[in-house]
């Protein structure tokens, strides 16, 4: 018998994406299918979504959803069974998914996403045994099931990034349509305001986060971002399930974005991709190419990396950076490239195709995150023989085996981990990588071990399905 599940998310690959959340939401339906879960995905009807819904059926009409007219449309789009919340007042606008063209949060974000969460809870009623909501934008779906609708769907809230709590002024509470009792420590109240993630974490039947180590870390003040209390209270219902990547999209033996396809037995073919990366980033000379594919933010440790750029070049390494984000960090990488022409190249922006080429051509990928719930780029790196050099935190700690002497001897090492995100330790980790890079057979062994690591959804799909089954008492 199959389990019907509704996944409610503010972004989904390949339709709308700002980060890993979209990748995960896009991958879950096919990851769960082999285990008897039929997953439908609900997203806001942004223009990029509505363009794909022309053949869809109207399944629900809301004359007044938090002050706006809205409809639910359901159709099959790019392999997904998709439900779009069509509401032009809330979602048809220029700018980003969450921010305006100037990068400022939309002032009505609470309304934009409470509408999504509430419609998710409403549509799940009688249709879906499982309601799975992602991050603060959808988490309140669990609160609506618990406090308002009281129907039988079991709810799961997944934390992809705790740094975004979705906290709003207490004055919006009456507009949410929740019973007054829900504005409570044991409810949606969060530091005097309304916390959308908090409300979801409190109300959900199960809470998951995207790696076992992050599930432990968020119990601590350093990583809990003010949620450590609620996480501790829910501890027996918190699970860490590591993300996978779509191994059909990320397949070096088939990837059309590569200049030269390869596999673990033909690693020498990576050389063509390496040349293409050199060209794309105007790199010259010799030396290992370290790459970055990332939001340029402090979370990702990009300030620390910018501070190490000179040291990396002095050690003989080269650096190719693809990313965008914090204006100061973008400027810092541009300045580093200007100081070291031919050794450091920077592309500010988002470029899916180039990101594939970099994974297939660069020697190592840097992920010096201060915290990292799971991280996807290191998984792509492993699969493409682009050896990760990363901070020992969250999913990075769970998915990379450090190349210490014992792991090298046992032939299980897949990358380089360091403990504290500071310039000294990042530089030392890059130096360790360069030392092994200078020994080609050893480096090749690292690459091959990484390429053999299981970065697919197989194991994690099974874990989510098992959790769903437990919740519905199968
Ligand atoms: P986060 O979700 O915190 O940004 P993840 O590592 O979980 O970080 O996921 C980021 C995703 O976005 C990965 O699929 C990565 O390849 C992609 N990505 C990030 N920045 C860029 C960029 N500038 N160009 C192309 N892809 C990018």
């Amino acid at each position: 018998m199959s389990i019907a599940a509704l996944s409610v998310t503010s972004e989904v690959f390949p339709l709308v994406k700002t980060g890993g959340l979209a990748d995960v939401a896009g991958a879950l339906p096919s990851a769960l299918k082999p285990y008897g879960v039929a997953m439908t995905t609900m997203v806001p009807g942004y223009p990029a979504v509505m363009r794909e819904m022309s053949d869809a059926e109207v399944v629900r009409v809301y004359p007044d959803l938090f002050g706006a007219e809205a409809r639910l449309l359901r159709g099959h789009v790019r392999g997904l069974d998709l439900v779009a919340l069509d509401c032009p007042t809330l979602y048809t606008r220029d700018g980003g998914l969450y921010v305006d063209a100037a990068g400022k949060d939309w002032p009505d974000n609470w309304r934009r996403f409470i509408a999504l969460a509430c419609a998710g809870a409403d549509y799940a009623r009688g249709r879906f045994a499982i309601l799975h909501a992602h991050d603060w934008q959808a988490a309140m779906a669990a609160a609506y099931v618990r406090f308002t609708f009281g129907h039988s769907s079991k709810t799961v809230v997944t934390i992809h990034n705790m740094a975004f709590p979705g906290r709003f002024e207490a004055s919006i509470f009456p507009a949410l349509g929740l019973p007054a009792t829900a504005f409570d420590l044991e409810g949606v109240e969060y530091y005097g305001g309304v916390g959308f993630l908090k409300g979801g974490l409190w109300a959900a039947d199960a809470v998951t986060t995207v790696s076992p180590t992050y599930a432990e870390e968020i119990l601590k003040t350093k990583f809990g971002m003010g949620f450590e209390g609620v996480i501790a209270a829910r501890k027996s219902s918190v699970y860490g399930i590591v993300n996978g990547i779509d191994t059909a999209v990320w397949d070096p033996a088939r990837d059309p974005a590569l200049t030269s396809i390869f596999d673990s037995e033909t690693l020498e073919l990576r050389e063509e991709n390496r040349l293409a990366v050199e060209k794309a980033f105007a790199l010259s000379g010799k030396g290992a190419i370290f790459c970055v594919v990332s939001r340029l933010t402090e979370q990702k440790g990009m300030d620390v990396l910018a501070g190490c750029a000179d040291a990396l070049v002095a050690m003989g390494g080269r650096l190719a950076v693809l990313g965008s984000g914090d204006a100061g960090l973008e400027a810092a990488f541009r300045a580093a490239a200007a100081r070291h022409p031919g050794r450091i190249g920077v592309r500010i922006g988002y470029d899916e195709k180039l990101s594939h080429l970099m994974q297939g051509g660069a020697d190592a990928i840097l992920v010096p995150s201060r915290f990292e719930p799971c991280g996807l780029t290191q998984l792509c790196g492993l699969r493409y023989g682009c050896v990760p050099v990363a901070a020992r935190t969250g999913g990075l700690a769970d998915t990379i085996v450090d190349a210490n002497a014992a792991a090298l001897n046992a032939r299980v090492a897949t990358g380089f981990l360091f403990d504290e995100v500071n310039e000294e330790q990042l530089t030392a980790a890059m130096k360790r990588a360069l030392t092994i890079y200078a020994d080609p057979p050893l480096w090749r062994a690292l690459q091959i071990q990484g390429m053999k690591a299981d970065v697919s959804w197989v194991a994690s799909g099974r874990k989510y399905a098992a959790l769903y089954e437990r919740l519905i008492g199968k």
Side-chain angles (χ1 to χ4, degrees):
M1 201 179 92
S2 92
I3 299 174
L6 180 67
S7 163
V8 186
T9 174
S10 58
E11 46 187 278
V12 64
F13 183 84
L15 299 173
V16 273
K17 166 169 167 177
T18 70
L21 166 61
D23 291 313
V24 177
L28 272 180
S30 42
L32 288 167
K33 201 170 166 195
Y35 306 106
V37 176
M39 180 169 268
T40 302
T41 308
M42 182 187 283
V43 284
Y46 309 111
V49 172
M50 295 313 298
R51 274 198 291 279
E52 309 261 354
M53 301 297 291
S54 50
D55 297 335
E57 182 193 351
V58 177
V59 291
R60 194 102 170 72
V61 175
Y62 297 102
D64 179 0
L65 184 67
F66 300 96
E69 273 180 51
R71 309 180 300 169
L72 292 178
L73 274 71
R74 186 167 179 175
H76 282 276
V77 175
R78 310 233 206 159
L80 297 167
D81 176 20
L82 201 71
V83 176
L85 177 57
D86 178 27
C87 184
T89 317
L90 297 180
Y91 306 124
T92 306
R93 36 183 94 166
D94 297 331
L97 302 187
Y98 315 117
V99 294
D100 63 19
K104 269 190 66 181
D105 283 356
W106 295 111
D108 59 347
N109 265 349
W110 71 267
R111 201 184 294 276
R112 298 175 74 230
F113 294 107
I114 206 67
L116 175 73
C118 187
D122 174 44
Y123 190 62
R125 187 192 336 225
R127 292 185 181 86
F128 297 94
I130 294 289
L131 172 57
H132 189 158
H134 302 272
D135 273 353
W136 73 265
Q137 296 92 336
M140 287 286 281
Y144 280 100
V145 171
R146 171 142 308 192
F147 294 115
T148 306
F149 299 123
H151 62 71
S152 63
S153 303
K154 296 294 177 196
T155 55
V156 179
V157 168
T158 294
I159 306 162
H160 297 263
N161 195 339
M162 209 144 209
F164 303 106
R167 181 187 177 283
F168 301 96
E169 293 301 320
S171 56
I172 70 161
F173 181 74
L176 303 183
L178 290 164
T181 49
F183 191 76
D184 191 80
L185 206 61
E186 299 191 354
V188 306
E189 191 272 341
Y190 179 61
Y191 293 99
V194 174
F196 282 12
L197 182 59
K198 154 74 198 310
L201 295 181
W202 190 265
D205 293 306
V207 171
T208 72
T209 188
V210 288
S211 67
T213 295
Y214 193 61
E216 288 293 322
E217 286 173 344
I218 56 181
L219 284 162
K220 301 175 196 149
T221 312
K222 181 177 168 200
F223 295 98
M225 311 265 173
F227 288 99
E228 48 289 2
V230 61
I231 294 293
R234 301 295 329 268
K235 195 166 186 264
S236 61
S237 305
V238 176
Y239 304 86
I241 302 178
V242 79
N243 287 334
I245 52 174
D246 186 331
T247 47
V249 173
W250 289 97
D251 181 357
R254 235 162 269 165
D255 191 334
L258 298 181
T259 306
S260 165
I261 54 173
F262 62 95
D263 61 25
S264 60
E265 275 157 30
T266 54
L267 272 172
E268 63 286 353
L269 298 176
R270 285 183 102 255
E271 188 58 25
E272 291 292 317
N273 300 320
R274 206 160 180 276
L275 295 173
V277 170
E278 287 180 346
K279 195 160 166 230
F281 287 88
L283 299 176
S284 53
K286 298 241 170 296
I289 301 175
F290 292 75
C291 76
V292 168
V293 180
S294 181
R295 291 186 284 123
L296 301 181
T297 63
E298 286 197 4
Q299 179 206 327
K300 299 288 181 184
M302 289 295 125
D303 51 323
V304 176
L305 176 61
C308 296
D310 295 348
L312 175 61
V313 172
M315 293 189 293
R318 295 182 288 172
L319 179 63
V321 177
L322 169 64
S324 63
D326 187 284
L329 291 174
E330 292 179 357
F333 282 111
R334 281 203 183 97
R339 282 199 306 280
H340 300 288
R343 309 301 297 177
I344 298 182
V346 175
R347 288 277 194 103
I348 301 299
Y350 191 94
D351 190 332
E352 193 83 30
K353 185 163 185 251
L354 182 59
S355 76
H356 283 238
L357 181 66
M358 292 167 78
Q359 298 279 14
D363 299 294
I365 180 154
L366 295 165
V367 199
S369 305
R370 288 192 166 82
F371 66 93
E372 193 59 79
C374 180
L376 296 175
T377 54
Q378 84 281 9
L379 301 180
C380 306
L382 289 170
R383 183 140 166 92
Y384 278 58
C386 187
V387 178
V389 179
R392 195 192 307 274
T393 189
L396 300 170
D398 290 334
T399 56
I400 299 165
V401 181
D402 180 60
N404 58 37
L408 283 171
N409 273 336
R411 296 199 148 253
V412 293
T414 59
F416 300 88
L417 292 169
F418 58 97
D419 290 305
E420 297 295 328
V421 180
N422 58 40
E423 290 180 23
E424 194 188 342
Q425 291 211 12
L426 173 55
T427 304
M430 294 191 296
K431 191 168 179 192
R432 276 207 295 144
L434 284 166
T435 304
I436 293 194
Y437 182 76
D439 183 338
L442 207 49
W443 186 262
R444 203 179 165 90
L446 266 190
Q447 289 178 296
I448 292 171
Q449 280 145 212
M451 293 176 84
K452 289 190 177 146
D454 181 10
V455 294
S456 77
W457 272 103
V458 174
S460 299
R462 189 183 301 124
K463 286 183 185 153
Y464 276 112
L467 173 63
Y468 293 174
E469 284 173 13
R470 253 198 321 280
L471 290 176
I472 59 182
K474 277 190 138 187

